Amino acid sequence: MEIQMNSSSQIGGTRSPSSSASPSSSTTSDPNSSSYNHQNNNPNNPNQMQSWWESISKARTRIHILSSIISSSTSTSSSSSSFISSLADSDRPARSLLESSESYLAISNLLSNPNSGSGNDSLCQWLYETYQSSDPDLRLVVLSFIPLLSGFYLSRIISLASSSHNNQSSLSGFEAVLLSIYAAETKARAGKPCLISIPDLSQPSLYDSTPRNNKSNGTVNRGVNDGGVSSVGVLCAPLEPQVAVKSTKRACIVSVALDCYYKQISQMPSWSKLELCQFSADWAGKDCSCRHEFDNDLNEVAVLNDNGNICFGENGNSFERDSEDDENNEVKETVEQINKLRIRDEFSHEDGVSRGVRIPLPWELLQIVLRILGHCLLAPLNSQEVRDSASFAIRCLYARAVHDIVPQAILATRSLIQLDKRSRLAAKEAAMANAASNANTPSKAKKPEILLMSK
C-alpha cells in the first residue's frame, strides 16, 4: 500500500512553509549546477555559518524565555528554571530541550494546572510563537507536547460542556496552539488531499513466494504495470482554513495536530508517547472488563514448583527460594522476564490519578490515535513501559469500540491486540526455550572443598 503525499512535510528533512524566508534560502540557484553543489557542500560557506549561528541564537532566546516563564510560576521549583536555562549553553540547545526529561516535567506541571490554557497563558503563547520558528528542532519541541495539550484540551472541553459553568473561552490558549499547527499543515498541503494507492488484489504481490510469470514476454506480472487496475482512495480530504475551533471541526483540528506528531514520532521522547497512551485509555474509559477477553493465556503467573521447574497458575510455589546457585538464579530471571510479559490490568499516571475523562471518539480522531498506538506497541526501539501502556490503551479502545458498535474501530483494535499477543507469546516461548536449553547444558563440576583441621 503506497501513500502519496501531495506536499512535503513541514518538519524534519524538508523545509516548512514558514522557513521559506530563512537566511539559508535567500539566494536562488540551480540545484543541478556544480557551483550550487560546491557552495552547499563547503563547510566554510559563510552563508551556512550565518544560518547555523542564527538558528542557535533563536533557540537560546526561546529557551531563556521559557526559563523565565517557569521561574515566574509557583508550581515549579527554581532548580527547574535554572536547569532549563543551562540548556541554552549546549551545542544544540533545541535538541537538548527536546531530550530533557526534567524540562518536560516542568512544562507538564504548568500545563496540568487547572487554570492553564487560557487566552493569557504565557506558556501557550510560548508554544504558539515557538512553532512559528523555522528551526525544525524547536518545532519538534512543540510537537512533543501535543499529546499532553490535546489530552487536557479534549478532556476539559467535555467537562466544561457538561458543567453549569460553560466558559469555553478559558481554553483559547490551547486552541491557539492547535490552530497554528493546523494552519501550517493546511498551507503545506496546498488544498490537495492525501491519496492512497490500493493495488489490484487479483494480481500477484511483489512479496509472493511463487509469482506467476507472464507467458507473452517472460516477465513477472506486476499488476498495474501489466494492465492491472489500481484504485485510489482518499486518506485525508483537503483541509479547509479555520480561524476558530468550532465544535463540528474540533476533532478534525486535533487529529491534524496528532498527525503532525505522528510524522515525527520516531524523534519523540518516550515520556511524550506515554502521555498519549495514558490519555487514550482515559478517553476510552477503563471500567469495562471485556478488554481482557483475549488475554486469558497471557495473564497466567509463572512460578517455580517444588522440583525447580517453571509452571503457570496459582498452585505453584513462590520462586523466592533460599538456594543461591547459579542455575536457580537463571531460572528466577526467566520467571521474572515471563511475568513482565503479562498484560497490565491498570496503567495510571505517576500521581495515580487519571487526568483525562471519557470523551466522544469520532473515527477521524480515533484512527490517528490508533496509528500512534500501533507505533508505540510495535516499534522495536520503544521501551517496555511504552509498549505496556500502549497495550493497555488499545484494549480500552477495543472495549469502547465494542460498546459503541464501530466496525472499523473493532477491526483495527482487534488486529493490534492480536499482533501484541503474538509478540508476547513469541517472547514467552523464547524465554522458556532459553531456560530449557540452559537447564540441559551440563555445568562445570565444582571442586570439592578441602577443610584443614588442626590436630
Side-chain angles (χ1 to χ4, degrees), residues 343-427:
I343 302 299
R344 296 280 296 272
D345 186 60
E346 184 65 27
F347 217 106
S348 59
H349 299 273
E350 292 182 358
D351 53 6
V353 179
S354 296
R355 293 182 286 182
V357 299
R358 193 177 189 272
I359 66 171
L361 290 174
W363 178 241
E364 60 182 340
L365 175 62
L366 183 58
Q367 63 176 336
I368 183 59
V369 170
L370 290 177
R371 288 165 67 188
I372 297 174
L373 292 177
H375 167 88
C376 296
L377 185 68
L378 302 174
L381 297 181
N382 286 332
S383 64
Q384 189 62 40
E385 184 181 11
V386 172
R387 295 182 184 181
D388 290 340
S389 184
S391 176
F392 177 77
I394 289 170
R395 283 160 173 80
C396 293
L397 290 172
Y398 166 76
R400 172 69 178 272
V402 169
H403 285 281
D404 293 350
I405 315 178
V406 184
Q408 61 267 40
I410 295 175
L411 178 62
T413 50
R414 282 194 63 171
S415 299
L416 289 174
I417 290 174
Q418 294 297 335
L419 290 173
D420 181 39
K421 280 189 60 178
R422 291 174 185 174
S423 63
R424 290 176 183 268
L425 289 175

Coordinates of all heavy atoms in Angstrom, one line a residue, residues 343-427:
I343 N -0.2 -8.8 30.7 CA -0.9 -7.6 30.3 C -1.2 -6.9 31.6 O -1.8 -7.5 32.6 CB -2.2 -7.9 29.6 CG1 -1.9 -8.7 28.3 CG2 -3.0 -6.7 29.3 CD1 -1.0 -7.9 27.3
R344 N -0.9 -5.6 31.7 CA -1.1 -4.8 32.9 C -2.6 -4.6 33.0 O -3.3 -4.2 32.1 CB -0.4 -3.5 32.8 CG 1.1 -3.6 32.8 CD 1.7 -3.8 34.2 NE 1.4 -2.7 35.0 CZ 2.2 -1.6 35.1 NH1 3.3 -1.6 34.4 NH2 1.9 -0.6 35.9
D345 N -3.2 -4.8 34.2 CA -4.6 -4.6 34.4 C -4.9 -3.2 34.6 O -6.1 -2.7 34.5 CB -5.1 -5.4 35.6 CG -6.5 -5.4 35.8 OD1 -7.3 -5.8 34.9 OD2 -7.0 -4.9 36.9
E346 N -4.0 -2.3 35.0 CA -4.2 -0.9 35.2 C -2.9 -0.2 34.8 O -1.8 -0.6 35.0 CB -4.6 -0.6 36.7 CG -4.9 0.8 37.0 CD -6.2 1.2 36.3 OE1 -7.0 0.4 36.0 OE2 -6.3 2.4 36.0
F347 N -3.1 1.0 34.3 CA -2.0 1.9 33.9 C -2.4 3.3 34.1 O -3.1 3.9 33.3 CB -1.6 1.6 32.5 CG -0.1 1.6 32.2 CD1 0.6 0.5 32.0 CD2 0.6 2.8 32.3 CE1 2.0 0.5 31.8 CE2 2.0 2.9 32.1 CZ 2.7 1.7 31.9
S348 N -1.9 3.9 35.2 CA -2.3 5.3 35.5 C -1.2 6.2 35.5 O 0.0 5.8 35.3 CB -3.0 5.3 36.9 OG -2.1 4.9 37.9
H349 N -1.4 7.5 35.7 CA -0.3 8.4 35.7 C 0.5 8.3 36.9 O 0.2 7.6 37.9 CB -0.9 9.8 35.6 CG -1.7 10.0 34.3 ND1 -1.2 10.5 33.2 CD2 -3.1 9.9 34.1 CE1 -2.1 10.5 32.2 NE2 -3.3 10.2 32.8
E350 N 1.6 9.1 37.0 CA 2.6 8.9 38.1 C 1.9 9.3 39.4 O 2.2 8.7 40.4 CB 3.8 9.9 37.8 CG 4.6 9.4 36.7 CD 5.8 10.3 36.5 OE1 5.9 11.3 37.2 OE2 6.6 10.1 35.6
D351 N 1.0 10.2 39.4 CA 0.3 10.6 40.7 C -0.8 9.7 41.0 O -1.5 9.9 42.1 CB -0.1 12.0 40.6 CG -1.0 12.3 39.4 OD1 -1.3 11.3 38.7 OD2 -1.4 13.5 39.2
G352 N -1.1 8.7 40.2 CA -2.1 7.7 40.5 C -3.5 8.2 40.1 O -4.5 7.5 40.4
V353 N -3.7 9.4 39.6 CA -5.0 10.0 39.3 C -5.1 10.2 37.8 O -4.2 10.7 37.1 CB -5.2 11.3 40.0 CG1 -6.5 11.9 39.6 CG2 -5.0 11.2 41.5
S354 N -6.2 9.7 37.2 CA -6.4 9.9 35.8 C -6.7 11.4 35.5 O -7.5 12.0 36.1 CB -7.6 9.0 35.3 OG -7.3 7.7 35.5
R355 N -6.0 11.9 34.5 CA -6.1 13.3 34.2 C -7.1 13.5 33.0 O -7.4 14.7 32.7 CB -4.7 13.9 33.8 CG -3.8 14.0 35.0 CD -2.5 14.6 34.7 NE -1.6 13.7 33.9 CZ -0.4 14.0 33.5 NH1 0.1 15.2 33.8 NH2 0.3 13.2 32.8
G356 N -7.5 12.5 32.4 CA -8.4 12.6 31.3 C -9.8 12.0 31.6 O -10.0 11.4 32.7
V357 N -10.8 12.3 30.8 CA -12.1 11.8 31.0 C -12.6 11.1 29.7 O -12.0 11.2 28.7 CB -13.1 13.0 31.4 CG1 -12.7 13.6 32.7 CG2 -13.2 14.0 30.3
R358 N -13.7 10.4 29.8 CA -14.3 9.8 28.7 C -14.9 10.8 27.7 O -15.7 11.7 28.2 CB -15.4 8.8 29.2 CG -15.9 7.8 28.1 CD -16.9 6.9 28.7 NE -17.2 5.8 27.8 CZ -18.2 5.8 26.9 NH1 -18.9 6.9 26.8 NH2 -18.5 4.8 26.2
I359 N -14.5 10.7 26.5 CA -14.9 11.7 25.5 C -15.4 11.0 24.3 O -15.2 9.8 24.1 CB -13.7 12.6 25.1 CG1 -12.6 11.8 24.3 CG2 -13.0 13.3 26.3 CD1 -11.5 12.6 23.7
P360 N -16.2 11.8 23.4 CA -16.6 11.2 22.1 C -15.4 10.9 21.3 O -14.4 11.7 21.2 CB -17.5 12.3 21.5 CG -17.9 13.1 22.7 CD -16.8 13.1 23.7
L361 N -15.4 9.8 20.6 CA -14.2 9.4 19.7 C -14.7 9.2 18.3 O -14.9 8.0 17.9 CB -13.6 8.1 20.3 CG -12.8 8.3 21.6 CD1 -12.4 6.9 22.1 CD2 -11.6 9.2 21.4
P362 N -14.9 10.2 17.5 CA -15.2 10.0 16.1 C -14.1 9.3 15.4 O -12.9 9.4 15.8 CB -15.4 11.4 15.6 CG -14.7 12.3 16.5 CD -14.7 11.6 17.8
W363 N -14.3 8.7 14.3 CA -13.4 7.9 13.6 C -12.2 8.7 13.1 O -11.0 8.3 13.1 CB -14.0 7.2 12.4 CG -13.0 6.4 11.6 CD1 -12.7 6.5 10.3 CD2 -12.2 5.3 12.0 NE1 -11.8 5.6 9.9 CE2 -11.5 4.8 11.0 CE3 -12.1 4.6 13.3 CZ2 -10.6 3.8 11.0 CZ3 -11.2 3.6 13.4 CH2 -10.5 3.2 12.3
E364 N -12.4 10.0 12.7 CA -11.3 10.8 12.2 C -10.3 11.1 13.3 O -9.1 11.3 13.0 CB -11.8 12.1 11.6 CG -12.6 13.0 12.6 CD -13.1 14.2 12.0 OE1 -12.6 14.6 10.9 OE2 -14.1 14.8 12.6
L365 N -10.7 11.1 14.6 CA -9.8 11.2 15.7 C -9.2 9.9 16.1 O -8.0 9.8 16.4 CB -10.5 11.9 16.8 CG -9.7 12.1 18.1 CD1 -8.4 12.9 17.9 CD2 -10.6 12.7 19.2
L366 N -10.1 8.9 16.1 CA -9.6 7.6 16.6 C -8.6 6.9 15.7 O -7.7 6.3 16.2 CB -10.8 6.7 16.7 CG -10.6 5.3 17.3 CD1 -10.0 5.4 18.7 CD2 -11.9 4.5 17.4
Q367 N -8.7 7.1 14.4 CA -7.8 6.4 13.5 C -6.3 6.9 13.7 O -5.4 6.1 13.6 CB -8.2 6.5 12.1 CG -8.3 7.9 11.5 CD -8.7 7.9 10.0 OE1 -8.5 6.9 9.3 NE2 -9.2 9.0 9.5
I368 N -6.1 8.2 13.9 CA -4.8 8.7 14.1 C -4.2 8.3 15.4 O -3.1 8.0 15.6 CB -4.7 10.2 13.8 CG1 -3.3 10.7 14.0 CG2 -5.6 10.9 14.8 CD1 -2.3 10.1 13.0
V369 N -5.1 8.2 16.4 CA -4.7 7.7 17.7 C -4.3 6.3 17.6 O -3.2 5.9 18.2 CB -5.9 7.9 18.8 CG1 -5.5 7.2 20.1 CG2 -6.1 9.3 19.0
L370 N -5.0 5.5 16.9 CA -4.6 4.1 16.7 C -3.3 3.9 15.9 O -2.5 3.0 16.2 CB -5.7 3.3 16.0 CG -7.0 3.1 16.8 CD1 -8.0 2.4 16.0 CD2 -6.7 2.3 18.1
R371 N -3.0 4.8 15.0 CA -1.7 4.7 14.3 C -0.6 5.0 15.2 O 0.5 4.4 15.2 CB -1.7 5.7 13.1 CG -2.7 5.3 12.0 CD -2.9 6.5 11.0 NE -1.7 6.9 10.3 CZ -1.6 8.0 9.5 NH1 -2.7 8.7 9.4 NH2 -0.5 8.3 8.9
I372 N -0.8 6.0 16.1 CA 0.3 6.3 17.1 C 0.5 5.2 18.1 O 1.6 4.8 18.4 CB -0.1 7.6 17.8 CG1 -0.1 8.8 16.8 CG2 1.0 7.9 18.9 CD1 -0.6 10.1 17.5
L373 N -0.7 4.6 18.5 CA -0.6 3.5 19.5 C 0.1 2.3 18.8 O 0.8 1.5 19.4 CB -1.9 3.1 20.0 CG -2.6 4.2 20.9 CD1 -4.0 3.7 21.3 CD2 -1.7 4.4 22.2
G374 N -0.2 2.1 17.5 CA 0.5 1.0 16.8 C 2.0 1.1 16.8 O 2.7 0.2 16.9
H375 N 2.5 2.4 16.6 CA 3.9 2.6 16.7 C 4.4 2.3 18.1 O 5.5 1.7 18.2 CB 4.2 4.0 16.3 CG 5.6 4.4 16.6 ND1 6.7 4.2 15.7 CD2 6.2 5.0 17.7 CE1 7.8 4.7 16.3 NE2 7.5 5.2 17.5
C376 N 3.7 2.8 19.1 CA 4.2 2.6 20.5 C 4.2 1.1 20.8 O 5.0 0.7 21.6 CB 3.3 3.4 21.4 SG 3.3 5.2 21.2
L377 N 3.3 0.4 20.2 CA 3.2 -1.1 20.5 C 4.2 -1.9 19.8 O 4.8 -2.9 20.4 CB 1.8 -1.5 20.2 CG 1.4 -3.0 20.6 CD1 1.4 -3.1 22.1 CD2 0.1 -3.4 19.9
L378 N 4.5 -1.6 18.6 CA 5.3 -2.5 17.7 C 6.7 -2.0 17.3 O 7.5 -2.8 16.8 CB 4.5 -2.8 16.4 CG 3.1 -3.4 16.7 CD1 2.4 -3.5 15.3 CD2 3.2 -4.7 17.3
A379 N 7.0 -0.7 17.5 CA 8.3 -0.2 17.1 C 9.4 -0.9 18.0 O 9.2 -0.9 19.2 CB 8.4 1.3 17.3
P380 N 10.4 -1.4 17.4 CA 11.4 -2.2 18.2 C 12.2 -1.4 19.2 O 12.7 -1.9 20.2 CB 12.3 -2.8 17.1 CG 12.2 -1.9 15.9 CD 10.8 -1.4 16.0
L381 N 12.3 -0.1 19.0 CA 13.2 0.7 19.8 C 12.4 1.3 21.0 O 13.1 2.0 21.9 CB 13.8 1.9 19.0 CG 14.8 1.5 17.9 CD1 15.4 2.7 17.2 CD2 15.9 0.5 18.4
N382 N 11.1 1.1 21.1 CA 10.4 1.6 22.2 C 10.7 0.8 23.5 O 10.9 -0.4 23.4 CB 8.9 1.6 22.0 CG 8.5 2.6 21.0 OD1 9.1 3.7 20.9 ND2 7.4 2.4 20.2
S383 N 10.6 1.5 24.6 CA 10.8 0.8 25.9 C 9.6 -0.1 26.2 O 8.5 0.0 25.7 CB 11.0 1.8 27.0 OG 9.8 2.6 27.2
Q384 N 9.9 -1.0 27.2 CA 8.8 -2.0 27.6 C 7.6 -1.2 28.3 O 6.5 -1.6 28.1 CB 9.3 -3.0 28.5 CG 8.4 -4.1 28.8 CD 8.0 -4.9 27.6 OE1 8.8 -5.2 26.7 NE2 6.7 -5.3 27.5
E385 N 8.0 -0.1 28.9 CA 6.9 0.7 29.6 C 6.0 1.3 28.6 O 4.8 1.3 28.7 CB 7.5 1.8 30.5 CG 6.5 2.6 31.3 CD 7.2 3.6 32.1 OE1 8.4 3.9 31.9 OE2 6.5 4.2 32.9
V386 N 6.5 1.8 27.5 CA 5.7 2.4 26.4 C 4.9 1.3 25.8 O 3.7 1.5 25.5 CB 6.6 3.1 25.3 CG1 5.8 3.5 24.1 CG2 7.3 4.3 26.0
R387 N 5.4 0.1 25.5 CA 4.6 -1.0 24.9 C 3.5 -1.4 25.8 O 2.4 -1.7 25.4 CB 5.6 -2.1 24.6 CG 6.6 -1.8 23.6 CD 7.5 -3.0 23.2 NE 8.5 -2.8 22.3 CZ 9.4 -3.6 21.9 NH1 9.3 -4.9 22.3 NH2 10.3 -3.3 21.0
D388 N 3.8 -1.5 27.1 CA 2.7 -2.0 28.1 C 1.6 -0.9 28.1 O 0.4 -1.3 28.2 CB 3.3 -2.2 29.5 CG 4.2 -3.4 29.5 OD1 4.1 -4.3 28.6 OD2 5.1 -3.5 30.4
S389 N 2.0 0.3 28.1 CA 1.0 1.4 28.2 C 0.1 1.4 26.9 O -1.1 1.6 27.0 CB 1.7 2.8 28.4 OG 0.7 3.8 28.5
A390 N 0.8 1.2 25.8 CA 0.0 1.2 24.5 C -0.9 0.0 24.5 O -2.0 0.0 24.0 CB 1.0 1.2 23.3
S391 N -0.4 -1.2 25.0 CA -1.2 -2.4 25.0 C -2.4 -2.2 25.9 O -3.5 -2.6 25.5 CB -0.3 -3.5 25.6 OG -1.1 -4.7 25.7
F392 N -2.3 -1.6 27.0 CA -3.5 -1.3 27.9 C -4.4 -0.3 27.2 O -5.6 -0.6 27.2 CB -3.0 -0.7 29.2 CG -4.1 -0.4 30.1 CD1 -4.8 -1.3 30.8 CD2 -4.5 1.0 30.3 CE1 -5.8 -1.0 31.7 CE2 -5.5 1.3 31.2 CZ -6.2 0.3 31.9
A393 N -3.9 0.7 26.6 CA -4.8 1.7 25.9 C -5.6 1.1 24.7 O -6.7 1.4 24.5 CB -3.9 2.9 25.4
I394 N -4.9 0.2 24.0 CA -5.6 -0.4 22.8 C -6.7 -1.3 23.3 O -7.8 -1.3 22.7 CB -4.6 -1.2 22.0 CG1 -3.6 -0.2 21.3 CG2 -5.3 -2.1 21.0 CD1 -2.5 -0.9 20.6
R395 N -6.5 -2.0 24.4 CA -7.6 -2.9 24.9 C -8.8 -2.0 25.4 O -9.9 -2.4 25.3 CB -7.0 -3.8 26.0 CG -6.2 -5.0 25.4 CD -5.3 -5.6 26.4 NE -4.7 -6.8 25.8 CZ -3.7 -6.8 25.0 NH1 -3.1 -5.7 24.6 NH2 -3.2 -8.0 24.5
C396 N -8.5 -0.9 26.0 CA -9.5 0.0 26.5 C -10.3 0.6 25.3 O -11.6 0.6 25.3 CB -9.0 1.2 27.3 SG -8.3 0.7 28.9
L397 N -9.6 0.9 24.2 CA -10.3 1.4 23.0 C -11.1 0.3 22.3 O -12.1 0.5 21.7 CB -9.2 2.0 22.0 CG -8.6 3.3 22.4 CD1 -7.5 3.6 21.5 CD2 -9.6 4.4 22.5
Y398 N -10.6 -1.0 22.4 CA -11.4 -2.1 21.9 C -12.7 -2.2 22.6 O -13.8 -2.4 22.0 CB -10.6 -3.4 22.0 CG -11.4 -4.6 21.7 CD1 -11.8 -5.0 20.4 CD2 -11.8 -5.4 22.8 CE1 -12.6 -6.1 20.2 CE2 -12.6 -6.5 22.6 CZ -13.0 -6.9 21.3 OH -13.8 -8.0 21.1
A399 N -12.6 -2.2 23.9 CA -13.9 -2.3 24.7 C -14.8 -1.1 24.4 O -16.0 -1.3 24.3 CB -13.5 -2.3 26.2
R400 N -14.3 0.1 24.2 CA -15.1 1.2 23.8 C -15.8 1.0 22.4 O -16.9 1.3 22.2 CB -14.3 2.5 23.8 CG -14.9 3.7 23.3 CD -16.1 4.2 24.2 NE -16.6 5.4 23.7 CZ -16.2 6.7 23.9 NH1 -15.1 6.8 24.8 NH2 -16.8 7.7 23.4
A401 N -15.0 0.5 21.5 CA -15.5 0.3 20.1 C -16.6 -0.8 20.1 O -17.6 -0.7 19.4 CB -14.3 -0.2 19.2
V402 N -16.4 -1.8 21.0 CA -17.5 -2.9 21.1 C -18.8 -2.3 21.6 O -19.9 -2.6 21.1 CB -17.0 -4.0 21.9 CG1 -18.1 -5.0 22.2 CG2 -15.8 -4.8 21.2
H403 N -18.7 -1.4 22.6 CA -19.9 -0.9 23.2 C -20.5 0.2 22.3 O -21.7 0.3 22.2 CB -19.5 -0.2 24.5 CG -19.3 -1.2 25.6 ND1 -20.3 -1.8 26.3 CD2 -18.2 -1.7 26.2 CE1 -19.9 -2.6 27.2 NE2 -18.5 -2.6 27.2
D404 N -19.7 0.9 21.5 CA -20.2 1.9 20.6 C -20.6 1.3 19.2 O -21.2 2.0 18.4 CB -19.2 3.0 20.3 CG -19.0 3.9 21.6 OD1 -19.7 3.7 22.5 OD2 -18.0 4.7 21.5
I405 N -20.2 0.0 19.0 CA -20.5 -0.7 17.8 C -20.0 0.1 16.6 O -20.7 0.5 15.7 CB -22.0 -1.0 17.6 CG1 -22.6 -1.5 18.9 CG2 -22.3 -2.0 16.5 CD1 -24.1 -1.8 18.8
V406 N -18.7 0.2 16.6 CA -18.0 0.9 15.4 C -17.2 -0.2 14.7 O -16.1 -0.6 15.2 CB -17.1 2.0 15.9 CG1 -16.4 2.8 14.8 CG2 -17.9 3.0 16.8
P407 N -17.6 -0.7 13.6 CA -16.9 -1.9 13.0 C -15.5 -1.6 12.6 O -14.6 -2.5 12.9 CB -17.8 -2.1 11.7 CG -19.1 -1.5 12.0 CD -18.8 -0.3 12.8
Q408 N -15.1 -0.5 12.0 CA -13.8 -0.2 11.6 C -12.9 -0.1 12.9 O -11.7 -0.5 12.8 CB -13.6 1.0 10.8 CG -14.1 2.3 11.4 CD -15.5 2.6 11.1 OE1 -16.4 1.8 11.1 NE2 -15.8 3.9 10.9
A409 N -13.4 0.4 14.0 CA -12.6 0.5 15.2 C -12.4 -0.8 15.8 O -11.3 -1.1 16.3 CB -13.3 1.5 16.2
I410 N -13.4 -1.7 15.8 CA -13.3 -3.0 16.3 C -12.2 -3.8 15.5 O -11.4 -4.5 16.1 CB -14.6 -3.7 16.3 CG1 -15.6 -3.1 17.2 CG2 -14.5 -5.2 16.6 CD1 -17.0 -3.6 17.1
L411 N -12.3 -3.7 14.2 CA -11.3 -4.4 13.4 C -9.9 -3.9 13.6 O -9.0 -4.7 13.8 CB -11.7 -4.2 11.9 CG -10.7 -4.9 10.9 CD1 -10.7 -6.4 11.0 CD2 -11.2 -4.5 9.4
A412 N -9.7 -2.6 13.7 CA -8.4 -2.1 13.9 C -7.8 -2.4 15.3 O -6.6 -2.9 15.4 CB -8.4 -0.5 13.7
T413 N -8.6 -2.3 16.3 CA -8.1 -2.6 17.7 C -7.9 -4.1 17.9 O -6.9 -4.5 18.5 CB -9.1 -2.1 18.7 OG1 -10.4 -2.5 18.4 CG2 -9.1 -0.6 18.8
R414 N -8.7 -4.9 17.3 CA -8.5 -6.4 17.4 C -7.2 -6.8 16.7 O -6.5 -7.7 17.1 CB -9.7 -7.1 16.9 CG -10.9 -7.2 17.8 CD -11.9 -8.2 17.4 NE -11.4 -9.6 17.4 CZ -12.1 -10.7 17.3 NH1 -13.5 -10.5 17.1 NH2 -11.6 -11.8 17.3
S415 N -7.0 -6.2 15.6 CA -5.8 -6.5 14.8 C -4.5 -6.2 15.7 O -3.6 -6.9 15.7 CB -5.7 -5.8 13.5 OG -6.8 -6.1 12.7
L416 N -4.5 -5.0 16.3 CA -3.4 -4.6 17.1 C -3.3 -5.5 18.4 O -2.2 -5.8 18.8 CB -3.6 -3.1 17.6 CG -3.4 -2.1 16.5 CD1 -3.7 -0.7 17.0 CD2 -2.0 -2.1 15.9
I417 N -4.4 -5.9 18.9 CA -4.4 -6.8 20.1 C -3.7 -8.2 19.7 O -2.9 -8.7 20.4 CB -5.8 -7.0 20.7 CG1 -6.2 -5.7 21.3 CG2 -5.8 -8.2 21.7 CD1 -7.7 -5.8 21.8
Q418 N -4.1 -8.7 18.5 CA -3.6 -10.0 18.0 C -2.1 -9.8 17.8 O -1.3 -10.8 18.1 CB -4.3 -10.4 16.8 CG -5.8 -10.8 17.0 CD -6.0 -11.9 18.0 OE1 -5.1 -12.8 18.1 NE2 -7.1 -12.0 18.6
L419 N -1.7 -8.7 17.2 CA -0.2 -8.5 17.0 C 0.5 -8.5 18.3 O 1.6 -9.0 18.4 CB 0.0 -7.3 16.2 CG -0.4 -7.3 14.7 CD1 -0.3 -5.9 14.1 CD2 0.4 -8.3 13.9
D420 N -0.1 -7.8 19.3 CA 0.5 -7.7 20.6 C 0.6 -9.1 21.2 O 1.7 -9.5 21.8 CB -0.3 -6.7 21.4 CG 0.3 -6.6 22.8 OD1 1.6 -6.5 22.9 OD2 -0.4 -6.5 23.8
K421 N -0.4 -9.9 21.1 CA -0.4 -11.2 21.7 C 0.6 -12.1 21.1 O 1.4 -12.8 21.8 CB -1.8 -11.9 21.5 CG -2.8 -11.4 22.5 CD -4.1 -12.3 22.4 CE -3.8 -13.8 22.7 NZ -5.0 -14.6 22.6
R422 N 0.8 -12.0 19.8 CA 1.7 -12.9 19.1 C 3.2 -12.5 19.5 O 4.0 -13.4 19.7 CB 1.6 -12.7 17.6 CG 0.3 -13.4 17.0 CD 0.1 -13.1 15.6 NE -1.2 -13.5 15.1 CZ -1.7 -13.3 13.9 NH1 -0.9 -12.6 13.0 NH2 -2.8 -13.8 13.5
S423 N 3.4 -11.2 19.6 CA 4.8 -10.8 20.0 C 5.1 -11.2 21.4 O 6.2 -11.7 21.8 CB 5.0 -9.3 19.8 OG 4.1 -8.6 20.7
R424 N 4.1 -11.1 22.3 CA 4.3 -11.5 23.7 C 4.5 -13.0 23.9 O 5.3 -13.5 24.7 CB 3.2 -11.0 24.6 CG 3.2 -9.5 24.7 CD 2.0 -8.9 25.5 NE 2.0 -7.5 25.6 CZ 2.6 -6.8 26.6 NH1 3.2 -7.4 27.6 NH2 2.5 -5.5 26.6
L425 N 3.6 -13.8 23.2 CA 3.7 -15.2 23.2 C 5.0 -15.7 22.6 O 5.6 -16.7 23.2 CB 2.5 -15.9 22.5 CG 1.2 -15.7 23.2 CD1 0.0 -16.3 22.3 CD2 1.2 -16.5 24.5
A426 N 5.5 -15.1 21.6 CA 6.8 -15.5 21.0 C 7.9 -15.2 21.9 O 8.8 -16.0 22.1 CB 7.0 -14.7 19.7
A427 N 7.9 -14.1 22.6 CA 8.9 -13.7 23.6 C 8.8 -14.7 24.8 O 9.8 -15.1 25.4 CB 8.7 -12.3 24.1

